[in-house]
Amino acid sequence: MRGLRAWRGGTGPYVVALFLMAAPVWAVQPDEMLADPVLEARAREISHDIRCPVCQGETIDDSNAPIARDLRLIIRERLVAGDSDAAVVDYIVARYGEGVLFNPPAKGVNLVLWLAGPALLLAGIAVAVTAGRRRQVVEAALSPEEEARLREILKE
């Protein structure tokens, strides 16, 4: 019982802090970082737009996968060699394909991906409008014979 009280009282926040410290941290290792802060900032900016080929949902900065480390090193090597940011991204895309980009350009096959969302939205709106129009109740006027028959029924 004493252990349960200790858990409720004082150690709870420490356990939560331990779990927060175990959360994913930046995967960029100190030995990867460039001495020039301007080049390092450019490398970080580029790597935020590059998806880890193994992890798919993480940037290469967030991933601990060996391929992500290799990509981080390639980016830094290309920047030190004097390449522009666009040239570095083009180099990586040429080697690994457009699948490594978080925001692929809207051209070629990717154009289908960019247009599919809005097209499906418009199609959904069209279906909803069509279904709404079909549900409208149209009140038809009664013929004089039907009105007379209705009055007879209501009198009874």
Side-chain angles (χ1 to χ4, degrees), residues 107-129:
K107 63 180 183 179
V109 176
N110 291 331
L111 194 58
V112 172
L113 295 175
W114 282 98
L115 296 177
L120 288 175
L121 176 67
L122 292 175
I125 290 171
V127 167
V129 167

Side-chain angles (χ1 to χ4, degrees), residues 7 10-23:
W7 168 256
T11 58
Y14 298 113
V15 172
V16 171
L18 272 173
F19 282 117
L20 289 176
M21 287 181 3

Side-chain angles (χ1 to χ4, degrees), residues 32-142:
E32 297 175 18
M33 299 173 91
L34 296 172
D36 183 1
V38 174
L39 285 179
E40 181 61 28
R42 285 177 58 200
R44 291 288 179 107
E45 188 65 33
I46 293 169
S47 62
H48 283 302
D49 293 330
I50 306 293
R51 179 188 324 259
C52 175
V54 176
C55 308
Q56 293 299 316
E58 293 181 343
T59 66
I60 58 172
D61 266 356
D62 297 336
S63 175
N64 286 322
I67 187 89
R69 177 179 166 82
D70 293 344
L71 285 169
R72 290 191 301 264
L73 292 173
I74 289 171
I75 289 172
R76 284 163 175 79
E77 287 172 5
R78 303 299 298 181
L79 288 175
V80 169
D83 286 358
S84 68
D85 294 0
V88 172
V89 172
D90 290 343
Y91 178 80
I92 291 175
V93 168
R95 283 185 90 182
Y96 295 96
E98 288 183 343
V100 296
L101 297 176
F102 268 114
N103 294 312
K107 63 180 183 179
V109 176
N110 291 331
L111 194 58
V112 172
L113 295 175
W114 282 98
L115 296 177
L120 288 175
L121 176 67
L122 292 175
I125 290 171
V127 167
V129 167
T130 304
R133 286 186 179 166
R134 288 184 182 171
R135 292 190 136 197
Q136 290 178 349
V137 177
V138 179
E139 292 188 28
L142 298 175

Side-chain angles (χ1 to χ4, degrees), residues 2-14:
R2 175 158 165 55
L4 184 58
R5 282 190 197 137
W7 168 256
R8 285 187 191 162
T11 58
Y14 298 113

